Amino acid sequence: MNLSFESRSSNEAFARCAVAAFLTQLDPTIGELNDIKTAVSEAVTNCVVHAYKDTIGKVYINVKIEENSLIIIRVRDTGCGIENIKKAMEPLFTTAPSDERAGLGFAVMESFTDRLKVSSKVGRGTTVTFQKRLSCRVGNG
Amino acid sequence: MRISEGEEEITAYLSGDIDHHSARDMRESIDAVVQMKKPSLLRLDFSGVKFMDSSGIGLIMGRYRLMALYGGIVRVVNVPDELERMMNLSGLNALDIIERRGVKLEAAK
């Protein structure tokens, strides 16, 4: 499933709900769905607040359903990129305290999914990929 | 969101989804009342919250700081079970401002 939309904060709810709607075919638990919605919300907010700071750009979401109900979600932007990924991923580190960002985005994504990968190039953009295996109550297909 | 005002305390009943987009309006509404009334206690009631990302944590921490300016305190009450993980992850537990069911924190210090 592919989705692209403008990096407006009003689209944050749309993005997480669209991903959740797509995944209902796997009959996930409420908790699993909530975890994924939370991670998507954090990733998209990063695009709005950081990648396209003071501007509007495109956010791209790709969701793949692999075997055994493994979900792979990729959130990509072509914004400013991250200079120091390690630093950016430290809990409580934020470059936007005035916007009351808690500095927990990546920590939440890490905690609410099974695996998180961040790749970024300054001036080119950032791609965040996370995986989660659902308990799977329906047959795979 | 509904805000009830007493003599010394204010309660904000947060509802719906709290994300980066919705947190801004909530923050502005709460702060307007807090700055006018300067209460000694601000209660943030989460019973009506259906979804929250880390923006909710930013909202709590920001109000904590604002209330501290006036010498007041913040209490986070009626947190739904689904939000517990986010609350625990946030480090807010160290501030001792979240009231768990059946555990009343001291009203003011």
Side-chain angles (χ1 to χ4, degrees):
Chain A
M1 189 271 274
N2 285 303
L3 199 64
S4 71
F5 52 90
E6 289 188 333
S7 62
R8 300 181 191 279
S9 64
S10 52
N11 284 331
E12 291 157 4
F14 161 72
R16 64 176 178 267
C17 291
V19 171
F22 175 67
L23 293 177
T24 52
Q25 60 185 293
L26 295 172
D27 195 21
T29 65
I30 304 269
E32 287 169 339
L33 216 47
N34 190 55
D35 287 357
I36 290 169
K37 280 172 74 178
T38 308
V40 169
S41 199
E42 301 292 348
V44 171
T45 301
N46 275 350
C47 299
V48 174
V49 174
H50 300 290
Y52 300 116
K53 187 175 183 274
D54 305 324
T55 167
I56 297 287
K58 278 271 169 71
V59 180
Y60 304 89
I61 298 184
N62 173 265
V63 184
K64 276 200 188 98
I65 300 173
E66 304 276 349
E67 271 179 29
N68 299 319
S69 297
L70 177 68
I71 313 297
I72 302 177
I73 300 177
R74 204 174 62 201
V75 179
R76 184 170 66 87
D77 66 71
T78 56
C80 66
I82 303 169
E83 210 166 303
N84 186 338
I85 294 177
K86 212 173 148 218
K87 185 92 193 154
M89 290 180 74
E90 277 176 18
L92 305 180
F93 175 83
T94 181
T95 54
S98 61
D99 203 23
E100 292 201 342
R101 305 308 306 156
L104 290 171
F106 283 124
V108 169
M109 283 183 246
E110 238 167 359
S111 165
F112 283 60
T113 65
D114 298 337
R115 184 182 289 178
L116 171 70
K117 203 183 105 196
V118 182
S119 60
S120 189
K121 259 208 173 102
V122 172
R124 298 284 295 277
T126 300
T127 302
V128 170
T129 310
F130 44 81
Q131 295 187 6
K132 192 172 180 71
R133 192 177 296 283
L134 304 182
S135 55
C136 180
R137 294 177 293 180
V138 291
N140 291 298
Chain B
M1 186 183 64
R2 192 166 60 80
I3 299 179
S4 79
E5 303 169 30
E7 279 294 308
E8 282 292 314
E9 52 185 77
I10 289 173
T11 303
Y13 296 89
L14 306 169
S15 61
D17 287 13
I18 304 180
D19 63 10
H20 160 252
H21 181 73
S22 65
R24 182 177 311 171
D25 283 350
M26 295 179 180
R27 172 171 87 201
E28 284 170 5
S29 309
I30 295 169
D31 288 5
V33 178
V34 165
Q35 276 155 354
M36 198 171 64
K37 293 265 176 180
K38 299 184 174 56
S40 58
L41 170 66
L42 168 65
R43 220 181 265 114
L44 301 173
D45 188 312
F46 276 74
S47 53
V49 177
K50 302 274 175 265
F51 170 88
M52 174 180 111
D53 67 16
S54 67
S55 308
I57 303 301
L59 186 72
I60 297 170
M61 295 199 314
R63 307 297 67 69
Y64 178 83
R65 288 192 203 103
L66 179 68
M67 286 299 291
L69 284 181
Y70 302 124
I73 57 166
V74 168
R75 286 288 175 259
V76 175
V77 302
N78 296 326
V79 178
D81 291 344
E82 307 87 74
L83 304 186
E84 270 297 329
R85 207 151 125 229
M86 179 69 75
M87 295 288 182
N88 290 334
L89 189 76
S90 69
L92 280 178
N93 285 338
L95 294 179
D96 214 18
I97 57 173
I98 304 175
E99 260 180 26
R100 256 78 192 198
R101 227 153 304 156
V103 184
K104 263 256 180 272
L105 293 169
E106 269 178 61
K109 283 173 191 166

